[in-house]
Amino acid sequence: MASKKEEVRRKHIRLHMESTLTARDKVGVQDFVLLDAYTSESAFLDNLRKRFSENLIYTYIGTLLVSVNPYQELGIYTMSQMELYQGVNFFELPPHVYAIADNAYRMMCSELTNHFILISGESGAGKTEASKKILQYFAVTCPMTESLQIARDRLLLSNPVLEAFGNAKTLRNDNSSRFGKYMDIQFDYKGIPVGGHIISYLIEKSRVVYQNQGERNFHIFYQLLEGGEEELLAYLGLERDPQLYKYLSQGHCAKESSINDKNDWKTVSSAFSVIDFTEDDLENLFGILASVLHLGNVCFEENHQGCATIPDTHEIKWIAKLLGVHPSILLEALTHRKIEAKTEEVICPLTLELSVYARDAMAKSIYGRTFTWLVNKINSSLVNKDFTKKTVIGLLDIYGFEVFDKNDEECIRPGPATDLSFLEKLEEKVGQHAHFQTRKLAGPKGRKRIGWMEFRLSHYAGEVTYCTKGFLEKNNDLLYRHLKEVLCSSNNRILKECFLVAELENRRRPPTVGTQFKNSLSSLLEILISKEPSYIRCIKPNERKEPSKFDDLLIRHQIKYLGLMEHLRVRRAGFAHRRKYEHFLQRYKSLCPDTWPHWHGPPAEGVERLIQYIGYTPEEYKLGRTKIFIRFPRTLFATEDAFEFSKHQLVARIQATYKACLERRVYVRKRHAAITLEAHWRGALARKLAKRRKWAVWTVRKFIKGFINRNKPLCPDNEEFIVFVRKNYILNLRYHVPKNVLDKSWLRPPGILENASDLLRKMCTRNLVRKYCRGITAERKALMQQKVVTSELFRAKKEGYAEALNQPFANSRIDEGDINPKVLQLISSEKIQYGVPVIKYDRKGFRARERQFLLTQKAAYVVELAKIKQKIAYSALKGVSTSSLSDGILVIHVSPEDSKQKGDAVLQCEHIFEAITKLVMLVKRGNIVNVVQGSLRFYISPGKEGTIVFDTGPEEQIYKDKNGQLTVVSVRTTS
Ligand code: ADP
Ligand code: MG
């Protein structure tokens, strides 16, 4: 969007350039440097005239602008014109005051240097207009922020106020500036106008009290009378007619058609509010203006002693009221003078002439100082309060070169100051300056050209001679001490600031005009010397302010003393463009890789390298001591174009760098954040770990301590350890409790838990036993009881017991079906409890016979098939014997006395333990079983005994030995 607009603008400029090219062909040259006969003043004048007749009022001499006052509106100061000149190469467009302004502005922005634009020319030549146009140009084209708009408005509006108080109609100019003005416009680094400062020089005070024929006092007086509201005028004691006031009517032209005082009053009034004037300020200010007018109307008469008197005190009263002084004191001060004689003060009356002088001096003095106050007041509203670095463009509207009529005015000079003594002062103070010349200072050669009353300032292009005649008279405003005292006591707030009591105490003479002149000149020089200059030379085409009238003689004169021919000559001999090496290099260094981005050597060498690189031919330039001189504008344009082109690349590069920078910044920030996070996280982890380790060390140490002290009574040192050990043991024990009654394993307890362990073990066993017992059947219980009995009988007594232990007992070894029914019948009254097959050995021959051995409730039976061979009632049973060896022999002893019995029964039974146990349990008597060692004796029949011998051998044998004894051999069991 913006680039499109820019393109349209460029197109417009090109079109414009082409059209002006043809215009230029027709109407001379737009730059005098291009003039063929550049030494001819007539050719110069012709060119100026040709262009003026086409309303082309601007012409260049290189970069200097010559401007001829058109005395008419030309429509060349429009918005579109301002836009056109913005940021365009100086020579690309037709000459214009905007081009000068824009050039200075661009240079300021790009090189950050301070500039000033010096505008010179005769009164009425258009200097003030030019400076206003420049100010407007900046106000419109410079970038602006809303907050700084007020600064811009103040800069603009300070002008009408200053002009109202400092400008007046003269013969040459209806709006002639009667003071020198230097104005600084301050720009911030973005090129926004942010503030300003005004310095005024030597307001023409004499105009307050006297004007030539056809001239006026300062505008403000007429504006006040024309525009001021009725109440205001009444308050000030003024009438609406300027003719009534002596200070306004001497020139006989109070009303002037070209000036609209009423409108101007409106402009000025509204400006006052913008530049911070309060109601109070304005009241005091208008009071002073009115009292000046009243002063002018104070009339003196001479009494018979030749002393001045004031017959009508009407005016005095108004002045006293407005200035806040006592009327009689004022009256005395206007007609008398204090003379100090040693310790006394003597008051002596003034002559009429001196009274008039005193009155005028008072009017001039209060006006002059009020003007200074006004400038200061405006400055305080223009001040920019932030202290960032500013660059400035100064506008110097030079007030000088005035050609005065010799009868201007008379003035009475107290004291010995003369024009000649002023000249001497000048010689003394600035005589050293190379450009200052007087007759005295000039050598014998130059002397003739300078008059005694003249001094001469040499410009580079020519010399301007000033006549000192009347210099002092015009500016004489010495105020009698008496009057000064009155003003110092004033209640008017502005006068209070202007006339300080301290001044009265200072006995020295007030600074002379010469000193003031010198001071302001040197301070101005100081201001200018540090800045880059641009020049505008204004020419007045005729004396009658007429449009389109070109007065050859008048203009030729101005060309001469403005030094334009000399300037042209220098330009022609010289070059279209010159620039300090530093600045040239700074601007174009991007065009050459050697000088970009920095050149470290001397700037001159850098420039040389640069122009070689971009291909300047030798005739295009010259290298000076501090500057490069470029002969042709086109060379400069080409360079500028190249720069313009390279700017885009630079911008891209700067953008890239900047973006990279931003990205990097973001990256660095992120990285930093990540590192911080990481560090914190690691810290947290490490702290956690350290805490755990510490805890671990503490715990381990405590554990060890507890271990060391484990056997001591419970104390803090071992408490925890013991608790731990207990808990641990108990918890461990869970997995090691015996599973059944026979499991005798038990987890070994630590020393301190032995008692508890024992208790627990017992509990556990008891519990297991109970559980076991509960789970047992009646049948099994009976079996177990049998086994218990067996154990009581044979444990550790008879071999084979341990092996037999595991073999469960049977209820019976013979089914009832296997017993002969006859037998069953025989013992039917008794229930058979147990039966087992046995071998019975005859008591005499020891022959082995198979029998059934049956037990009932009451008796034991030895049965052979259907026959009961022997019945042994339990009551007759004496005992049972068996050997300690592993044989199955059992002998049932019966009482020998029992006649029913044949003798003891010798039996062999495979289930000996079972059989004997069953028998014993049925007999229900203890101690009937006898386990013998070696041999046993038994009754073969009552009274006759036999022996059975038990022995061990490699194999089982039972036989009758040669002694007639039964020998039983059994195999020794390993256990
Ligand atoms: P100076 O300040 O040099 O004494 P001014 O700038 O006050 O002169 O100009 C005097 C008059 O000439 C102005 O009041 C105005 O009427 C007229 N004038 C000056 N410059 C121009 C201009 N560029 N265009 C139109 N009129 C102008
Ligand atoms: Mg002026």
Side-chain angles (χ1 to χ4, degrees):
M1 179 71 194
S3 65
K4 195 154 193 181
K5 203 172 156 195
E6 178 65 21
E7 201 166 299
V8 169
R9 200 168 82 88
R10 289 259 151 200
K11 208 169 176 180
H12 187 59
I13 292 168
R14 271 198 301 278
L15 277 175
H16 198 100
M17 281 170 66
E18 277 156 25
S19 65
T20 48
L21 254 175
T22 49
R24 189 197 318 166
D25 283 342
K26 267 192 260 153
V27 287
V29 292
Q30 66 176 14
D31 189 338
F32 282 108
V33 173
L34 305 173
L35 211 60
D36 288 332
Y38 66 90
T39 49
S40 155
E41 204 173 282
S42 307
F44 193 101
L45 197 67
D46 283 346
N47 189 45
L48 212 54
R49 190 193 304 110
K50 255 192 245 169
R51 291 176 65 76
F52 185 72
S53 65
E54 291 290 330
N55 283 340
L56 296 169
I57 60 166
Y58 295 122
T59 314
Y60 290 136
I61 307 176
T63 55
L64 177 146
L65 181 75
V66 178
S67 157
V68 186
N69 188 348
Y71 284 120
Q72 59 178 318
E73 291 308 324
L74 294 179
I76 54 171
Y77 306 108
T78 58
M79 277 297 288
S80 59
Q81 284 282 317
M82 290 193 198
E83 273 169 25
L84 191 65
Y85 277 88
Q86 238 177 300
V88 180
N89 275 333
F90 191 72
F91 296 103
E92 275 185 26
L93 290 173
H96 202 293
V97 67
Y98 291 161
I100 297 281
D102 192 72
N103 194 44
Y105 180 74
R106 300 290 147 198
M107 297 250 280
M108 178 194 74
C109 289
S110 63
E111 287 164 13
L112 293 179
T113 44
N114 295 322
H115 289 255
F116 75 88
I117 301 172
L118 187 145
I119 309 165
S120 54
E122 208 174 296
S123 178
K127 302 183 292 295
T128 304
E129 286 298 319
S131 78
K132 282 196 267 189
K133 299 287 188 266
I134 292 171
L135 196 61
Q136 260 157 15
Y137 180 76
F138 289 144
V140 170
T141 63
C142 290
M144 180 54 55
T145 64
E146 226 163 89
S147 60
L148 290 169
Q149 222 158 303
I150 185 86
R152 181 193 64 181
D153 292 348
R154 283 177 177 168
L155 275 170
L156 283 176
L157 287 176
S158 63
N159 235 340
V161 175
L162 275 181
E163 287 195 0
F165 282 80
N167 287 21
K169 174 193 161 19
T170 64
L171 284 175
R172 288 168 185 80
N173 183 353
D174 292 348
N175 181 32
S176 179
S177 325
R178 306 319 293 166
F179 65 105
K181 181 175 151 202
Y182 174 79
M183 178 178 197
D184 256 347
I185 309 161
Q186 299 165 347
F187 296 85
D188 71 0
Y189 69 99
K190 284 185 244 160
I192 302 176
V194 292
H197 187 78
I198 294 164
I199 302 172
S200 68
Y201 298 98
L202 294 176
I203 175 88
E204 187 194 36
K205 282 179 283 189
S206 58
R207 183 167 296 275
V208 178
V209 297
Y210 179 78
Q211 307 90 38
N212 277 333
Q213 189 68 27
E215 298 201 350
R216 299 208 310 178
N217 206 325
F218 294 102
H219 296 321
I220 189 67
F221 291 110
Y222 305 94
Q223 290 171 5
L224 177 62
L225 293 188
E226 275 289 321
E229 299 74 17
E230 288 299 339
E231 310 89 79
L232 179 63
L233 293 192
Y235 167 77
L236 298 172
L238 296 177
E239 302 286 327
R240 208 177 273 291
D241 183 3
Q243 301 301 338
L244 298 177
Y245 300 96
K246 202 160 156 258
Y247 281 167
L248 303 183
S249 55
Q250 298 162 79
H252 301 288
C253 65
K255 285 253 181 339
E256 168 65 44
S257 61
S258 72
I259 302 171
N260 188 337
D261 289 316
K262 211 169 188 164
N263 274 355
D264 290 349
W265 170 260
K266 280 182 195 145
T267 313
V268 172
S269 308
S270 55
F272 271 134
S273 63
V274 176
I275 53 179
D276 280 350
F277 277 65
T278 61
E279 284 288 322
D280 194 45
D281 286 332
L282 292 179
E283 198 174 286
N284 288 320
L285 188 62
F286 297 143
I288 291 168
L289 293 179
S291 43
V292 167
L293 294 184
H294 286 301
L295 259 179
N297 287 0
V298 170
C299 292
F300 298 97
E301 268 176 21
E302 205 168 359
N303 64 11
H304 49 274
Q305 284 144 354
C307 301
T309 59
I310 302 173
D312 182 359
T313 57
H314 175 77
E315 306 287 353
I316 295 292
K317 280 175 192 148
W318 273 109
I319 299 166
K321 175 191 168 240
L322 292 170
L323 298 187
V325 296
H326 202 280
S328 58
I329 295 176
L330 177 65
L331 193 126
E332 187 194 62
L334 281 171
T335 50
H336 291 77
R337 184 180 178 184
K338 262 184 197 161
I339 294 174
E340 286 173 52
K342 290 194 180 151
T343 54
E344 282 179 289
E345 276 186 351
V346 181
I347 304 222
C348 60
L350 293 174
T351 61
L352 184 84
E353 205 184 22
L354 282 176
S355 280
V356 169
Y357 169 78
R359 179 198 69 187
D360 288 354
M362 175 172 162
K364 286 192 278 187
S365 181
I366 60 176
Y367 191 85
R369 293 198 191 198
T370 301
F371 185 76
T372 310
W373 175 88
L374 188 84
V375 172
N376 289 341
K377 177 83 188 166
I378 290 172
N379 277 337
S380 67
S381 87
L382 293 181
V383 142
N384 182 270
K385 285 174 192 77
D386 89 73
F387 291 102
T388 52
K389 193 169 161 26
K390 312 277 183 330
T391 48
V392 305
I393 293 180
L395 291 177
L396 179 59
D397 181 353
I398 271 204
Y399 165 66
F401 308 117
E402 307 276 342
V403 185
F404 299 114
D405 286 340
K406 289 287 182 317
N407 55 358
D408 256 9
E409 58 195 282
E410 282 119 320
C411 70
I412 298 147
R413 275 192 315 275
T418 65
D419 292 335
L420 261 180
S421 70
F422 165 61
L423 191 62
E424 277 162 20
K425 275 261 158 52
L426 269 186
E427 281 170 353
E428 187 187 307
K429 300 284 179 190
V430 290
Q432 309 308 322
H433 201 279
H435 292 169
F436 180 83
Q437 285 254 300
T438 60
R439 188 177 171 108
K440 191 166 143 200
L441 292 174
K445 266 190 204 157
R447 184 165 291 173
K448 277 178 214 134
R449 297 197 287 122
I450 311 176
W452 282 110
M453 296 290 274
E454 289 170 351
F455 66 91
R456 181 173 288 182
L457 292 180
S458 310
H459 293 241
Y460 64 93
E463 291 165 339
V464 177
T465 308
Y466 300 82
C467 181
T468 62
K469 179 104 181 58
F471 238 83
L472 286 186
E473 288 177 2
K474 269 180 62 106
N475 295 299
N476 201 339
D477 66 334
L478 267 185
L479 198 60
Y480 288 132
R481 187 178 164 74
H482 202 156
L483 265 177
K484 215 180 247 180
E485 276 173 12
V486 173
L487 292 174
C488 283
S489 69
S490 162
N491 277 336
N492 184 301
R493 234 170 273 154
I494 295 173
L495 283 195
K496 253 199 167 103
E497 281 178 44
C498 293
F499 291 89
L500 300 174
V501 184
E503 201 182 315
L504 287 176
E505 283 151 12
N506 188 355
R507 292 276 149 187
R508 280 194 298 149
R509 278 177 69 90
T512 62
V513 178
T515 324
Q516 283 176 31
F517 183 77
K518 191 219 97 179
N519 286 347
S520 52
L521 196 73
S522 64
S523 65
L524 181 63
L525 275 176
E526 233 164 73
I527 289 165
L528 299 185
I529 215 135
S530 58
K531 299 183 173 67
E532 300 282 329
S534 307
Y535 300 100
I536 299 174
R537 299 274 189 259
C538 297
I539 290 175
K540 182 165 69 170
N542 60 68
E543 289 283 15
R544 280 172 299 179
K545 310 168 193 169
E546 270 178 40
S548 312
K549 181 135 193 351
F550 195 85
D551 182 335
D552 279 13
L553 204 70
L554 185 72
I555 291 169
R556 206 182 270 270
H557 181 64
Q558 292 175 70
I559 290 171
K560 196 169 283 157
Y561 78 70
L562 285 172
L564 297 183
M565 293 311 294
E566 287 81 354
H567 190 93
L568 175 58
R569 206 181 59 236
V570 171
R571 274 285 152 170
R572 271 301 283 253
F575 298 77
H577 181 77
R578 67 203 65 193
R579 190 77 77 87
K580 279 218 172 90
Y581 285 131
E582 292 87 337
H583 296 162
F584 188 86
L585 191 63
Q586 184 60 28
R587 187 165 179 80
Y588 300 117
K589 63 182 180 175
S590 62
L591 298 179
C592 168
D594 287 351
T595 51
W596 176 257
H598 298 294
W599 173 257
H600 294 291
E605 280 170 31
V607 168
E608 209 171 341
R609 185 79 59 89
L610 173 67
I611 57 176
Q612 261 163 28
Y613 184 81
I614 55 179
Y616 279 19
T617 55
E619 70 275 9
E620 279 182 309
Y621 69 94
K622 275 278 182 311
L623 297 176
R625 211 157 44 81
T626 61
K627 288 181 183 166
I628 176 173
F629 295 79
I630 296 173
R631 196 180 301 272
F632 313 114
R634 67 178 144 81
T635 311
L636 187 68
F637 296 161
T639 315
E640 266 295 318
D641 287 344
F643 175 58
E644 202 55 44
F645 176 72
S646 84
K647 251 192 208 166
H648 291 289
Q649 291 174 317
L650 286 182
V651 164
R653 226 188 285 173
I654 289 170
Q655 250 173 10
T657 314
Y658 182 68
K659 276 183 193 161
C661 201
L662 281 186
E663 284 298 314
R664 209 185 137 63
R665 218 180 283 165
V666 170
Y667 163 74
V668 165
R669 239 192 358 241
K670 278 187 185 161
R671 199 180 118 100
H672 188 78
I675 288 173
T676 310
L677 268 177
E678 217 171 58
H680 277 93
W681 180 240
R682 280 190 190 153
L685 284 184
R687 270 193 294 281
K688 209 164 145 188
L689 185 66
K691 206 166 153 187
R692 261 176 57 192
R693 283 202 175 138
K694 201 168 159 185
W695 175 84
V697 165
W698 180 82
T699 307
V700 167
R701 189 181 290 163
K702 198 147 189 190
F703 190 84
I704 292 172
K705 217 168 177 182
F707 178 77
I708 292 170
N709 296 311
R710 68 190 181 280
N711 292 324
K712 287 192 185 157
L714 207 62
C715 63
D717 278 346
N718 62 9
E719 193 174 37
E720 247 175 88
F721 178 82
I722 285 170
V723 167
F724 168 78
V725 165
R726 266 187 202 148
K727 188 173 153 195
N728 205 33
Y729 178 73
I730 302 284
L731 286 178
N732 251 342
L733 199 57
R734 277 195 295 187
Y735 308 110
H736 297 93
V737 231
K739 296 283 181 299
N740 58 61
V741 269
L742 293 180
D743 185 356
K744 291 292 174 272
S745 68
W746 187 255
L747 192 65
R748 221 187 77 145
I752 46 158
L753 280 182
E754 261 161 10
N755 286 344
S757 163
D758 279 353
L759 283 173
L760 279 172
R761 189 175 190 172
K762 272 182 194 151
M763 266 166 67
C764 180
T765 312
R766 207 177 296 150
N767 198 27
L768 281 174
V769 167
R770 189 184 295 155
K771 219 160 143 192
Y772 181 80
C773 290
R774 278 206 191 128
I776 224 158
T777 57
E779 222 168 294
R780 190 152 163 72
K781 188 174 172 183
L783 278 178
M784 291 286 287
Q785 278 168 346
Q786 292 169 20
K787 285 271 179 186
V788 170
V789 171
T790 314
S791 159
E792 279 166 6
L793 294 176
F794 299 108
R795 190 165 156 207
K797 290 179 185 164
K798 183 172 173 62
E799 275 183 33
Y801 167 78
E803 288 78 10
L805 197 59
N806 283 335
Q807 294 163 15
F809 288 173
N811 284 336
S812 179
R813 297 278 170 190
I814 302 169
D815 284 343
E816 277 212 350
D818 291 336
I819 300 170
N820 194 291
K822 268 191 181 162
V823 175
L824 284 177
Q825 203 171 16
L826 281 174
I827 54 173
S828 62
S829 59
E830 296 161 44
K831 193 169 180 320
I832 295 170
Q833 298 290 330
Y834 178 73
V836 65
V838 292
I839 290 165
K840 182 209 157 210
Y841 292 90
D842 290 347
R843 281 176 292 270
K844 285 172 190 150
F846 294 120
R847 277 202 27 211
R849 297 175 199 275
E850 279 188 17
R851 296 286 185 263
Q852 286 179 333
F853 184 58
L854 303 176
L855 297 178
T856 68
Q857 213 66 26
K858 289 179 176 157
Y861 297 89
V862 179
V863 176
E864 186 199 1
L865 301 174
K867 260 196 266 177
I868 294 174
K869 293 299 267 188
Q870 190 172 4
K871 175 185 175 179
I872 304 163
Y874 297 147
S875 52
L877 191 136
K878 258 184 85 188
V880 179
S881 291
T882 180
S883 82
S884 61
L885 298 176
S886 61
D887 58 88
I889 298 294
L890 79 147
V891 178
I892 301 169
H893 300 284
V894 292
S895 171
E897 289 90 30
D898 190 341
S899 55
K900 285 180 208 161
Q901 295 292 342
K902 297 171 205 165
D904 296 345
V906 179
L907 305 173
Q908 186 194 10
C909 179
E910 214 179 311
H911 304 285
I912 183 156
F913 295 107
E914 184 182 283
I916 291 177
T917 301
K918 300 259 183 189
L919 178 66
V920 166
M921 288 183 77
L922 285 168
V923 173
K924 290 181 185 153
R925 266 191 281 149
N927 306 329
I928 60 164
V929 177
N930 189 26
V931 181
V932 298
Q933 310 238 347
S935 65
L936 70 82
R937 291 187 66 81
F938 70 97
Y939 286 104
I940 300 168
S941 58
K944 191 181 176 194
E945 283 185 3
T947 304
I948 302 170
V949 179
F950 298 98
D951 204 353
T952 53
E955 60 180 316
E956 280 180 14
Q957 264 179 332
I958 297 177
Y959 61 90
K960 184 181 172 186
D961 66 14
K962 43 194 185 287
N963 298 331
Q965 296 169 339
L966 185 71
T967 301
V968 179
V969 181
S970 44
V971 179
R972 212 173 248 289
T973 53
T974 46
S975 59

